[in-house]
Amino acid sequence: MANVQAIIEQWPPSLDAAQVEALSRLATTWALAHGLLYLPVLSPQPSVPAAAIHAPISLFPSPFPRKLFNQAKRIQRTYNVLYSRIAMDTKFLDSVMGSEEGVGKVDEFTGQLWRGWKALRDETVQPLHLGIFRSDYLLHSSVGKEPSLKQVEFNTISSSFGCLSQRAAAMHRYLQQSNEYFKASEHLKSDNFPSNDTTSGIAGGLAAAHKAYGKSEAHVLFVVQGGERNVFDQSWLEYELLEKHGIHVLRQTLEQLATSASVDEKKTLRITLTPSSISSPIEISTVYFRAGYTPADYPTQTNYDTRFLLERSSAIKCPTIPLQLAGGKKVQEVLTQPGVLDRFLDDATRTDAAELRASWMAMWGLDAAADGLSADTTPTTDPANASTAEPHGVLRAREQFARLVLKPQREGGGNNVYKESIPAFLDTLPPAERAAWIAMELIEPPAGAGNYLVRSGGGPAVRAEVVSELGIFGWSLFGGGKVEEEREVGWLLRTKGKDSNEGGVAAGFSVLDSVLLVGDAE
């Protein structure tokens, strides 16, 4: 592994200005020709797009230890089962995420979803859930030790960039085949470029849910955000479903669904399109949420009511509300507590428990108490401030802030608080909101890694020191206390400048990258 560390630290290979410009031209032309695209920044977006730009990309694939890449893929199937079981454990979710005893007490967004789910439990007619997941990892570098795999988070809703990640990998393979990257590195050979068939894999999960619903003429509904720029990542799934499975897709925002969606006496979900050349109303087999993961998607109560209407129907939801809640950061933290993981494992999955635990950083809730003490009465370390006592979780975060990140129950990037910003943030965080936040020890990626980053309209690639985050995709169809079917279905690599704390491509922090396998498999 020492050789792997050296490869990472010395990456990327040296190029002269003419070579950088040539590769940038080849990469961006390929991206534009093969659907590795975004819509441009326009407000509002036109109803009929007139132009597109290539997604932000890296010029080289980034080195990743072959052994750890294989490990991440292998344990994804255990994660598929784990989060399926969490979503089916109502008592556990109520205690961790609920409005009566969990995060929902102090986090209004979480509370709204939980209360809506609780009110609908007796009306549930569809026992099946579909989860399309992505488990995200960074390499962690410890002094004197091999790099290890550490989980950043587990995503249970709108796990995006599967389709564009496949095309980013294909773009890098094209550059290798077209000019061998000017023979800049011996590692840039075809055997080190892993296959990536994420589009067909994710579409396979949606097709499995559609088949389980049992009506071939029904459609799959994509619930999307208004003004969405990342439409091509979604559109490739739509094309795959139609061309490979004969399944039609509708796209609607929550605002549109407020008037177009209805649920009949048999709990069938139907969409009425007006005006439309398609006969309607259209029956929906599966609801695939690419929206609904952030409070910004619910500006009014009507949007929540629409979400609950969809939840009430017999369509299979991806995700259901309990599965969305299972992806909360608080669940991730509670899983690290003694004995909790074992609650969800059996003989078939317990063999991977050690690898799962080894991939977790230290985590705790800001409202956590010291052993044997109530969170409300943990004494401050400063007797002079005894009247402003803080929980042990807050005190620990103050003491260790330089190597921590604080996370709320949010998805989509741009929500976390890092390192030196933590003390001031804790000073202003209302005590009642502490339960909505977790503290996590920062993952320390190997130093020295670099790449050339290409953004649309920015000219040739710019060399930068970077950090790369691996995402492994999986899906699970489950319900009634058992997992019916699950798969590991591909991967994503996002790369950002080292000085950027956040990692979201859509949020503007990262570029799409791909994996270059280095080192031995074992």
Side-chain angles (χ1 to χ4, degrees):
M1 192 68 79
N3 184 45
V4 167
Q5 183 78 20
I7 295 169
I8 293 172
E9 291 174 352
Q10 296 167 16
W11 202 256
S14 297
L15 299 174
D16 62 34
Q19 291 172 326
V20 171
E21 183 172 355
L23 285 175
S24 298
R25 182 172 60 253
L26 287 172
T28 57
T29 302
W30 191 98
L32 290 165
H34 291 80
L36 183 48
L37 301 173
Y38 265 16
L39 290 180
V41 179
L42 295 172
S43 184
Q45 288 286 345
S47 59
V48 179
I53 59 176
H54 70 78
I57 51 179
S58 66
L59 207 53
F60 285 93
S62 289
F64 202 95
R66 193 182 308 264
K67 174 183 177 181
L68 299 183
F69 179 76
N70 291 340
Q71 175 188 338
K73 292 183 66 179
R74 183 177 63 254
I75 63 176
Q76 180 61 37
R77 300 195 66 176
T78 300
Y79 271 119
N80 293 342
V81 174
L82 171 62
Y83 275 85
S84 299
R85 290 174 177 165
I86 290 171
M88 292 186 287
D89 194 327
T90 299
K91 184 177 180 181
F92 176 79
L93 284 176
D94 284 349
S95 66
V96 177
M97 301 296 285
S99 290
E100 295 170 2
E101 52 183 319
V103 170
K105 289 189 303 182
V106 297
D107 184 278
E108 180 57 23
F109 176 55
T110 301
Q112 280 268 23
L113 292 176
W114 182 84
R115 288 189 295 272
W117 170 47
K118 183 180 181 183
L120 293 173
R121 289 176 192 174
D122 292 339
E123 302 180 42
T124 300
V125 295
Q126 178 53 262
L128 291 175
H129 313 233
L130 176 65
I132 294 177
F133 305 133
R134 196 186 70 225
S135 186
D136 293 334
Y137 303 93
L138 289 171
L139 294 178
H140 181 60
S141 182
S142 301
V143 176
K145 295 183 179 180
E146 298 177 347
S148 58
L149 190 73
K150 294 296 183 181
Q151 188 182 58
V152 178
E153 62 184 0
F154 192 89
N155 301 278
T156 63
I157 182 170
S158 190
S159 301
S160 60
F161 291 108
C163 298
L164 293 194
S165 69
Q166 177 175 328
R167 281 150 186 82
M171 180 268 294
H172 286 142
R173 284 194 297 273
Y174 159 73
L175 293 177
Q176 191 274 334
Q177 293 166 356
S178 65
N179 65 10
E180 298 183 270
Y181 279 99
F182 301 109
K183 298 187 182 299
S185 171
E186 63 178 343
H187 303 290
L188 291 163
K189 56 185 180 181
S190 59
D191 289 348
N192 292 334
F193 288 69
S195 62
N196 192 354
D197 299 314
T198 309
T199 304
S200 63
I202 294 175
L206 292 165
H210 176 83
K211 181 179 179 181
Y213 184 80
K215 293 187 179 181
S216 60
E217 71 277 11
H219 287 43
V220 170
L221 172 65
F222 284 20
V223 182
V224 299
Q225 293 176 323
E228 174 67 76
R229 295 179 59 218
N230 190 24
V231 296
F232 299 98
D233 187 54
Q234 301 166 9
S235 296
W236 283 116
L237 286 176
E238 179 180 344
Y239 307 149
E240 183 81 9
L241 286 168
L242 181 61
E243 295 167 9
K244 300 295 176 61
H245 301 278
I247 299 171
H248 292 267
V249 168
L250 292 178
R251 292 172 56 87
Q252 294 262 287
T253 64
L254 283 170
E255 286 74 17
Q256 291 170 323
L257 289 167
T259 55
S260 67
S262 61
V263 174
D264 65 20
E265 66 280 359
K266 295 182 179 180
K267 300 297 180 71
T268 303
L269 175 61
R270 300 185 188 277
I271 306 298
T272 301
L273 302 178
T274 54
S276 174
S277 60
I278 304 173
S279 63
S280 60
I282 298 167
E283 185 171 353
I284 300 300
S285 68
T286 306
V287 182
Y288 176 41
F289 286 96
R290 291 296 290 259
Y293 55 84
T294 170
D297 289 336
Y298 303 89
T300 70
Q301 184 59 44
T302 298
N303 304 115
Y304 283 105
D305 293 341
T306 301
R307 175 69 188 275
F308 302 148
L309 176 74
L310 302 179
E311 193 78 14
R312 185 181 293 115
S313 77
S314 62
I316 297 172
K317 274 72 67 177
C318 179
T320 57
I321 292 176
L323 184 53
Q324 180 174 347
L325 293 173
K329 303 299 185 294
K330 187 64 178 178
V331 171
Q332 184 184 7
E333 179 259 315
V334 171
L335 282 172
T336 68
Q337 297 175 11
V340 177
L341 177 61
D342 295 332
R343 173 177 181 153
F344 301 103
L345 300 181
D346 55 20
D347 291 341
T349 54
R350 194 165 286 114
T351 55
D352 290 329
E355 283 192 304
L356 265 60
R357 290 191 177 98
S359 72
W360 296 340
M361 301 298 287
M363 283 177 267
W364 64 89
L366 288 186
D367 62 336
D371 292 343
L373 291 175
S374 163
D376 295 327
T377 59
T378 303
T380 178
T381 53
D382 181 359
N385 294 322
S387 62
T388 58
E390 293 182 320
H392 177 75
V394 172
L395 297 177
R396 187 177 174 189
R398 289 191 183 278
E399 292 170 356
Q400 301 178 25
F401 70 87
R403 53 189 182 91
L404 296 180
V405 54
L406 304 185
K407 296 183 175 184
Q409 312 304 307
R410 294 289 180 272
E411 304 296 335
N415 302 299
N416 299 334
V417 182
Y418 292 84
K419 298 166 69 170
E420 288 76 12
S421 300
I422 289 175
F425 173 79
L426 292 174
D427 289 341
T428 60
L429 181 66
E433 296 181 15
R434 290 167 179 159
W437 289 79
I438 69 165
M440 176 176 167
E441 186 178 349
L442 276 171
I443 304 168
E444 297 291 346
N451 210 321
Y452 291 88
L453 311 183
V454 189
R455 299 185 184 277
S456 182
V462 176
R463 183 167 177 160
E465 190 171 354
V466 299
V467 173
S468 295
E469 184 172 318
L470 175 70
I472 303 294
F473 289 94
W475 63 261
S476 178
L477 184 65
F478 62 95
K482 63 180 180 178
V483 176
E484 300 287 347
E485 190 176 1
E486 56 82 23
R487 296 283 187 273
E488 176 268 307
V489 293
W491 52 270
L492 155 75
L493 198 74
R494 292 171 294 176
T495 290
K496 62 183 180 181
K498 186 180 180 182
D499 293 333
S500 173
N501 284 322
E502 298 290 350
V505 178
F509 301 110
S510 298
V511 303
L512 292 170
D513 197 349
S514 74
V515 168
L516 182 73
L517 296 175
V518 293
D520 298 329
E522 294 296 337

